[in-house]
Amino acid sequence: MFVRGLKRKCFDGEEDIEGTLAGIKAIPSYNLQRQSLLDMSLVKLQLCHMLVEPNLCRSVLIANTVRQIQEEMTQDGTWQMINTQSTGQTSLDRLVSTDILCRSSREQAEGKQVPGYSSFNKDFEDDQTQDSSETMSTSSSVQTPRNLQSNVWEMENPQESRGNFQKSLDQIFETLENKNPNSVEDLFSEVDNSYYDLDTMLTGMMSNTKMGHCDGLETFSSPTTATSNSNCKSDLNELDHIVEILVES
Amino acid sequence: MGVAGGGGNDFQWCFSQVKGAIDEDVAEADIISTVEFNYSGDLLATGDKGGRVVIFQREQENKSRPHSRGEYNVYSTFQSHEPEFDYLKSLEIEEKINKIRWLPQQNAAHFLLSTNDKTIKLWKISERDKRAEGYNLKDEDGRLRDPFRITALRVPILKPMDLMVEASPRRIFANAHTYHINSISVNSDHETYLSADDLRINLWHLEITDRSFNIVDIKPANMEELTEVITAAEFHPHHCNVFVYSSSKGTIRLCDMRSSALCDRHSKFFEEPEDPSSRSFFSEIISSISDVKFSHSGRYMMTRDYLSVKVWDLNMENRPVETYQVHEYLRSKLCSLYENDCIFDKFECCWNGSDSAIMTGSYNNFFRMFDRNTRRDITLEASRESSKPRAILKPRKVCTGGKRKKDEISVDSLDFNKKILHTAWHPMENIIAVAATNNLYIFQDKIN
């Protein structure tokens, strides 16, 4: 369970990444695990967006969870700090309506080492070039974290996903509600076959019913050990590896 | 320990029958998706993911052995729904039967409503055990006789034949739901019924298929603002103007159709205040109500959320009168259950005939029963191992921590693929039907 009463360092907006990292390292468990939950939720939303007709109830519940995390991250400053670093624009007005990776893979299709869940999207529309160019600039900085400890990886992760939080939630629901035949892009968009393979792999990962993948996230009241944390991290690294294959193909 | 069914005497549950294939490889289409007794309990209907309906009928009791109860045997099997393709949206519509609801019997035939995600069908199940012989105008094999050859008149005679049970679709209620239908409920007036999807509830007349009335619509003008969906709905068993619907946020709204045509404003709003000490990121998900059922008396209703079952008094909106923990040991595992999507499993619940006991399913093919009077509960398992005729079911226990006792099972050993989502209780007797993936188990009490 997530315990919200944990004492945390107050993150100042002007702190640079390294300073923030030090702050995060001081309480690794809560923020990282919250981040893992956020990443997991985003993947789920993205995956369910790939299904023929996703379960609306499930999508709404996951989206609400993401919004909840986002709000909490706003409150403790993590969100704001990340946001100002990733894109030039302040997106405070975006916070209420959760912006989720949805059809935003066009932005990240250009990004090389972009953490993942974006390349699955069918709709490669080419608007929002402004966002994509900004993402490009940050993606280069993402290349280095690969070699750093996974703390940094997960730090960069939200950076990317924050950038993608530009999309609004309605995109998901609109697509869920009705695949509008009038939108020509929908009808004739190319389906990227590579993501079917990803789907199989990720579904296999995600539908693993064995417990223990997220042991670290349950025992939340006390700081978790490195081993339990690594379970979550290893999943994310696996995901990262899969994306690497996709992006390079 | 047993659960009293109204007589007040303790008894024990025994295995009676199991239906379905034994082998480990379960075909997806054979997974049972709904179970429902009819009003008399003589018929038991199941629907599966392949769109089929199988109806079992209880055999007449053998008079020479008054203590043996009738067995349920296959009465009728038919394909209710076929997979469809929505060409406009480029989407496949699953044939999975989401719900079956029986109509009260009014003549020799039986009627039931079955629904998939988009279409509801009214089926008539009728028996034919006689046929007429000796027609004047046609031969026995059906060929028309030459009129000039007919020299005498005879009266056709009814002769017995092997029982044939026919199922025919009498009404098809289609094209009224944009979203997936999760509930249907027959009204106490026996003329109307409701169907509910994620965002809307429609009212139908059983005779009219080309239109329905929308009575609840919670779709926001801007879908971006969507944060809550309808998860279940049911008519009150006695008041034909009252129905309830539950939401993904753990709330129940009771509506009165007399107040306005569109029941967007509820008459009563049931919600339990959240316990701030147990709040987590999963709080909302586990509060989502997966099933709502009125008691037979109509005074109470029961809701099922992920970890508990709650009984509500319709006269008290601010909290339930009873709360039963189904598998509280899962609370510390919510993250894993979120990861493997088990947290989204929709468990159903049911009352016994006298409303003194309630039942719901869990994982590892366990199901739980709660006696509302004695406050005792029991965990039983639907498994082939305990499937000897009239074998008494042994209570099961999940070890939550510390030293595991003999016969206990630890939380980490539970099989989350074996989930019991659908159960049904005979309306009058202590007979229960439990759907475990592709198998249907029937259990009865030892004493009649």
Side-chain angles (χ1 to χ4, degrees):
Chain A
M1 254 171 52
F2 289 83
V3 175
R4 296 185 89 183
L6 276 179
K7 260 187 170 176
R8 295 192 285 275
K9 208 170 161 180
C10 177
F11 292 118
D12 190 59
E14 278 100 32
E15 274 184 36
D16 58 333
I17 296 185
E18 287 74 30
T20 315
L21 271 182
I24 286 183
K25 269 189 236 175
I27 336 101
S29 53
Y30 182 79
N31 281 356
L32 280 181
Q33 294 182 15
R34 180 177 62 182
Q35 187 57 54
S36 294
L37 182 62
L38 180 64
D39 297 338
M40 201 196 313
S41 306
L42 291 173
V43 174
K44 281 186 184 295
L45 277 175
Q46 194 64 28
L47 281 177
C48 78
H49 192 237
M50 293 159 64
L51 293 177
V52 179
E53 194 162 28
N55 185 331
L56 187 63
C57 181
R58 182 174 170 273
S59 306
V60 167
L61 288 172
I62 298 172
N64 288 351
T65 307
V66 170
R67 190 184 286 115
Q68 210 181 318
I69 297 173
Q70 180 186 350
E71 279 167 10
E72 194 184 274
M73 287 175 111
T74 312
Q75 281 166 18
D76 67 26
T78 325
W79 170 268
Q80 198 169 351
M81 168 210 44
I82 291 166
N83 237 349
T84 49
Q85 282 169 349
S86 62
T87 65
Q89 36 180 298
T90 53
S91 45
L92 288 170
D93 55 340
R94 301 276 189 177
L95 293 178
V96 176
S97 69
T98 308
D99 294 342
I100 307 284
L101 278 162
C102 198
R103 298 194 249 192
S104 56
S105 62
R106 57 189 166 289
E107 307 159 27
Q108 301 209 341
E110 289 92 46
K112 282 82 178 170
Q113 303 270 345
V114 179
Y117 359 97
S118 49
S119 43
F120 322 158
N121 214 299
K122 291 200 278 187
D123 305 282
F124 290 103
E125 291 166 290
D126 54 338
D127 52 348
Q128 298 215 359
T129 48
Q130 180 194 8
D131 282 344
S132 64
S133 61
E134 281 164 347
T135 321
M136 292 279 278
S137 62
T138 54
S139 67
S140 53
S141 63
V142 179
Q143 297 195 15
T144 41
R146 278 198 176 292
N147 308 321
L148 297 181
Q149 47 185 314
S150 37
N151 274 2
V152 181
W153 162 252
E154 278 150 11
M155 186 55 212
E156 294 298 333
N157 222 348
Q159 208 165 350
E160 260 29 78
S161 32
R162 290 314 160 271
N164 299 323
F165 269 36
Q166 306 308 316
K167 294 309 299 172
S168 54
L169 191 57
D170 67 339
Q171 297 246 345
I172 296 184
F173 293 126
E174 271 171 21
T175 323
L176 293 182
E177 174 193 9
N178 103 57
K179 309 245 167 135
N180 192 350
N182 295 329
S183 122
V184 175
E185 292 89 356
D186 284 339
L187 285 177
F188 295 107
S189 65
E190 279 184 51
V191 172
D192 184 359
N193 287 324
S194 60
Y195 79 66
Y196 284 121
D197 302 325
L198 178 66
D199 181 30
T200 320
M201 284 188 276
L202 281 174
T203 315
M205 260 176 65
M206 286 300 159
S207 61
N208 188 341
T209 52
K210 271 176 61 176
M211 304 279 260
H213 263 255
C214 263
D215 286 337
L217 281 160
E218 279 92 26
T219 56
F220 224 134
S221 44
S222 53
T224 55
T225 61
T227 42
S228 48
N229 257 341
S230 66
N231 282 339
C232 292
K233 289 183 207 165
S234 65
D235 289 346
L236 289 169
N237 290 335
E238 207 181 314
L239 180 61
D240 161 39
H241 177 64
I242 293 167
V243 169
E244 208 178 60
I245 298 170
L246 265 190
V247 168
E248 285 163 9
S249 65
Chain B
M1 165 173 44
V3 177
N9 299 321
D10 264 351
F11 57 87
Q12 290 166 312
W13 289 98
C14 308
F15 171 82
S16 175
Q17 296 170 269
V18 59
K19 309 282 187 193
I22 300 175
D23 45 90
E24 289 295 312
D25 246 351
V26 178
E28 177 101 0
D30 292 337
I31 296 175
I32 298 171
S33 50
T34 184
V35 185
E36 189 81 358
F37 280 100
N38 74 337
Y39 282 76
S40 66
D42 282 341
L43 295 178
L44 175 61
T46 63
D48 64 23
K49 276 195 168 184
R52 288 165 303 204
V53 172
V54 181
I55 302 176
F56 302 91
Q57 184 187 47
R58 195 175 183 197
E59 299 298 334
Q60 293 301 320
E61 289 187 23
N62 195 330
K63 294 212 169 34
S64 64
R65 291 194 302 161
H67 287 296
S68 81
R69 261 121 290 121
E71 281 196 342
Y72 283 85
N73 294 320
V74 177
Y75 179 65
S76 172
T77 304
F78 56 93
Q79 186 78 31
S80 171
H81 287 72
E82 298 272 7
E84 286 173 47
F85 195 78
D86 182 340
Y87 292 97
L88 200 63
K89 297 183 191 175
S90 242
L91 294 172
E92 193 177 273
I93 300 170
E94 276 194 323
E95 67 274 29
K96 172 169 78 90
I97 308 293
N98 292 336
K99 284 286 182 325
I100 289 174
R101 289 288 182 262
W102 290 93
L103 265 59
Q105 191 174 8
Q106 288 168 333
N107 51 37
H110 300 277
F111 288 87
L112 61 79
L113 287 169
S114 71
T115 185
N116 68 348
D117 285 338
K118 299 284 185 177
T119 305
I120 307 129
K121 295 187 183 181
L122 175 69
W123 287 88
K124 176 181 176 183
I125 297 104
S126 48
E127 291 182 10
R128 191 196 292 266
D129 63 354
K130 297 179 192 54
R131 70 167 193 275
E133 275 182 14
Y135 283 100
N136 290 295
L137 296 177
K138 56 182 180 181
D139 285 340
E140 292 312 313
D141 49 6
R143 282 184 305 180
L144 290 174
R145 286 170 77 189
D146 192 355
F148 297 106
R149 298 267 187 86
I150 303 171
T151 53
L153 280 179
R154 55 186 177 172
V155 177
I157 307 165
L158 288 175
K159 287 205 173 155
M161 58 178 259
D162 288 340
L163 178 67
M164 196 165 72
V165 181
E166 297 171 322
S168 59
R170 306 301 288 180
R171 306 270 187 278
I172 297 180
F173 306 91
N175 303 320
H177 286 280
T178 309
Y179 303 96
H180 291 177
I181 298 174
N182 53 53
S183 310
I184 47 174
S185 177
V186 182
N187 205 349
S188 50
D189 63 8
H190 303 162
E191 288 186 349
T192 57
Y193 74 95
L194 64 77
S195 59
D197 66 29
D198 294 315
L199 298 180
R200 297 190 179 100
I201 301 179
N202 293 332
L203 178 71
W204 301 83
H205 192 283
L206 284 165
E207 299 290 329
I208 300 168
T209 59
D210 59 358
R211 61 176 176 273
S212 69
F213 291 99
N214 177 240
I215 51 178
V216 173
D217 188 341
I218 65 167
K219 182 180 173 193
N222 183 0
M223 280 294 269
E224 180 181 329
E225 293 160 7
L226 179 68
T227 57
E228 192 174 11
V229 300
I230 297 171
T231 52
E234 197 180 47
F235 265 120
H236 191 278
H238 308 308
H239 304 304
C240 58
N241 52 297
V242 172
F243 66 94
V244 293
Y245 68 93
S246 59
S247 82
S248 56
K249 287 198 169 173
T251 65
I252 309 103
R253 289 169 176 81
L254 185 144
C255 300
D256 186 334
M257 294 196 291
R258 296 173 300 189
S259 56
S260 67
L262 188 62
C263 299
D264 275 357
R265 287 170 57 204
H266 50 265
S267 300
K268 295 196 183 188
F269 182 77
F270 298 84
E271 185 178 31
E272 183 170 26
E274 193 181 10
D275 176 13
S277 65
S278 65
R279 174 133 185 85
S280 75
F281 286 118
F282 304 110
S283 292
E284 185 181 311
I285 299 178
I286 62 169
S287 74
S288 174
I289 291 172
S290 51
D291 195 16
V292 64
K293 291 262 170 52
F294 278 103
S295 64
H296 292 92
S297 63
R299 186 171 159 201
Y300 298 98
M301 66 177 175
M302 164 167 59
T303 57
R304 174 72 155 98
D305 50 73
Y306 190 63
L307 296 179
S308 68
V309 183
K310 295 177 182 171
V311 176
W312 302 77
D313 185 324
L314 293 187
N315 298 316
M316 188 161 74
E317 299 169 54
N318 57 352
R319 59 178 173 82
V321 289
E322 295 154 32
T323 301
Y324 301 94
Q325 301 302 333
V326 180
H327 36 221
E328 181 69 10
Y329 47 79
L330 295 183
R331 191 180 286 274
S332 58
K333 306 283 181 188
L334 291 178
C335 186
S336 296
L337 295 164
Y338 180 69
E339 188 188 19
N340 62 23
D341 270 1
C342 281
I343 206 174
F344 300 107
D345 286 336
K346 291 191 188 302
F347 292 94
E348 292 174 9
C349 52
C350 60
W351 299 86
N352 71 341
S354 59
D355 297 336
S356 64
I358 57 183
M359 170 168 63
T360 189
S362 178
Y363 294 103
N364 209 69
N365 277 354
F366 288 172
F367 57 99
R368 304 260 285 139
M369 279 190 223
F370 304 93
D371 186 320
R372 297 177 64 215
N373 300 324
T374 64
R375 292 309 178 111
R376 287 192 295 197
D377 61 272
I378 189 169
T379 305
L380 298 171
E381 183 180 359
S383 73
R384 292 276 175 175
E385 283 74 40
S386 50
S387 302
K388 299 186 186 34
R390 288 188 294 281
I392 296 174
L393 292 182
K394 201 173 60 175
R396 307 290 310 207
K397 193 146 163 50
V398 176
C399 162
T400 51
K403 206 165 180 314
R404 185 177 76 89
K405 297 192 189 68
K406 180 172 162 325
D407 285 349
E408 283 186 359
I409 181 167
S410 72
V411 181
D412 294 316
S413 310
L414 294 174
D415 188 341
F416 287 84
N417 283 324
K418 294 187 180 172
K419 45 193 98 175
I420 292 185
L421 305 173
H422 312 287
T423 59
W425 205 312
H426 190 286
M428 283 165 293
E429 296 183 34
N430 285 318
I431 304 171
I432 54 176
V434 174
T437 317
N438 63 328
N439 288 126
L440 182 72
Y441 288 82
I442 300 172
F443 302 106
Q444 299 188 13
D445 63 335
K446 194 167 171 54
I447 307 159
N448 197 355

